[in-house]
Amino acid sequence: MHKHYTGLIERYRNRLPVSANTRIISLNEGNTPMIQLQNIPKMLGKEVDIYVKFEGLNPTGSFKDRGMTMAVTKAVEEGSQAIICASTGNTSAAAAAYAARAGIKAFVLIPDGKIALGKLAQTLMYNATIIQINGNFDQGMELVKEVANHAPVTIVNSINPFRLEGQKTAAFEIVDDLGFAPDYHCLPVGNAGNISAYWKGYKEYALDRVCGNRPIMCGYQAAGAAPFLAGHPIENPETVATAIRIGNPQSWALAWAAQQESGGWFDKFSDEDILVAQKMLSQYEGVFCEPASATSLAGAMQDIKSGKIPEGSKIVCTLTGNGIKDPEIAMQQCLDSKPVTIDADLDAVKRAILDNL
Ligand code: F0G
């Protein structure tokens, strides 16, 4: 019997905290493609299978939709009329979209001037109330936690446990798709909710014997925003990958446990390394993710080259968000390949082709 896909809560409802009576707020998120890289492994000269889980193909263009369908479903179930979050851009877009779908209000606190243009545009279109602060994500997060004690708003940042419940389904999808868990799972780490959610998902599946193994979790940060490498929160995070411009991750303990329990590690990468990985994915694989997302591949490439991730490994890199969200950085990355402008005649077009073959 044909069954129309209606989102990850329906698909995994027996592993999620919903009942038969729960009104599900969904945009048919999840079910994102696992794309095996074909050209980059060859360029590395190593025998490895690298898959990217392209979360940029969720309804608002990032993995946040997985957490938001759960968080907003539960907020509505509990009678909430308004949600709030601090965000580097993607959480705010997802919160705004799911609030629109549910018919409730969304308030979002974002660092003024530090979120990618596409994320701002979509959050405006979904009609959230945008509050820009002269401060960074971490300051916004503290304010959100405080204001929730003084106003009737439900926090939908990943400190809301339903967020991680929704996001753990990405690990389920990977196992269901491959038939096993990968040897290594690489992902960018900012506020540290996602690495915690994946680990929860893999542990659940392994415990129930849906898979026989659990991956080693590799968390990669931007060098200017790498509290897990410093071993403590940092004051003024800075990186071109604005999505992960975070110095005081809220899921510190859970992420640390994921790394410890899985035998994994954290590492950090320069903005340049991150942008190189982003361009490589676009140029050699046809997969356009946002800068923060490419941190997972920057890390995997380094660790494959060094042998820390050995040949024969099966690796999944989560690509957390869509490249179209951040057109400004993309344009800056391509200054050397400006479009040519020519007269509208056949000879000029022919010349433009022959010059560039
Ligand atoms: N990649 C992207 C594209 C993100 O937007 C984020 C987080 C991360 C990675 C890091 O995930 O926080 O679970 O470790 N973005 C949040 C936001 C903070 O507000 O959109 P994390």
Side-chain angles (χ1 to χ4, degrees), residues 48 184 186 218 220 265 299-300 303-304 306-311 313 315:
V48 284
Y184 295 85
C186 305
C218 307
Y220 300 124
W265 58 84
D303 290 339
I304 290 165
S306 75
K308 195 170 180 183
I309 296 178
E311 289 201 71
S313 296
I315 303 143

Side-chain angles (χ1 to χ4, degrees), residues 88-296:
T88 55
N90 280 325
T91 301
S92 53
Y98 285 79
R101 185 81 163 166
I104 62 174
K105 288 214 67 129
F107 296 93
V108 307
L109 267 73
I110 56 173
D112 187 20
K114 292 291 185 180
I115 82 167
L117 188 63
K119 300 174 189 180
L120 189 59
Q122 64 183 148
T123 307
L124 285 164
M125 284 298 284
Y126 298 132
N127 203 30
T129 301
I130 300 181
I131 303 164
Q132 305 200 100
I133 61 166
N134 296 317
N136 61 27
F137 170 86
D138 302 302
Q139 292 166 302
M141 192 67 244
E142 290 312 312
L143 287 166
V144 162
K145 285 196 281 189
E146 271 186 51
V147 82
N149 295 323
H150 302 279
V153 287
T154 303
I155 300 178
V156 294
N157 282 104
S158 53
I159 55 171
N160 176 329
F162 298 123
R163 278 278 311 275
L164 300 197
E165 287 297 307
Q167 285 171 217
K168 77 182 178 186
T169 61
F172 298 164
E173 286 180 14
I174 288 166
V175 173
D176 291 343
D177 188 279
L178 293 177
F180 49 81
D183 301 309
Y184 295 85
H185 192 119
C186 305
L187 67 180
V189 174
N191 209 24
N194 212 26
I195 191 171
S196 309
Y198 270 94
W199 184 236
K200 188 172 198 297
Y202 283 126
K203 280 204 295 192
E204 243 180 80
Y205 254 21
L207 199 65
D208 292 343
R209 294 251 149 265
V210 185
C211 52
N213 65 312
R214 307 185 308 190
I216 289 170
M217 304 297 291
C218 307
Y220 300 124
Q221 302 210 277
F228 284 105
L229 282 299
H232 53 77
I234 61 161
E235 196 83 23
N236 293 308
E238 234 9 292
T239 168
V240 69
T242 51
I244 52 173
R245 185 174 169 272
I246 295 172
N248 186 16
Q250 298 296 304
S251 294
W252 184 286
L254 287 173
W256 196 261
Q259 175 250 158
Q260 291 274 302
E261 290 169 23
S262 72
W265 58 84
F266 292 108
D267 207 344
K268 60 180 178 181
F269 294 87
S270 67
D271 283 358
E272 195 191 340
D273 288 345
I274 291 169
L275 294 179
V276 165
Q278 185 202 19
K279 188 77 203 295
M280 284 179 73
L281 269 168
S282 302
Q283 182 173 1
Y284 300 121
E285 302 286 354
V287 178
F288 183 26
C289 67
E290 64 175 288
S293 309
T295 312
S296 60

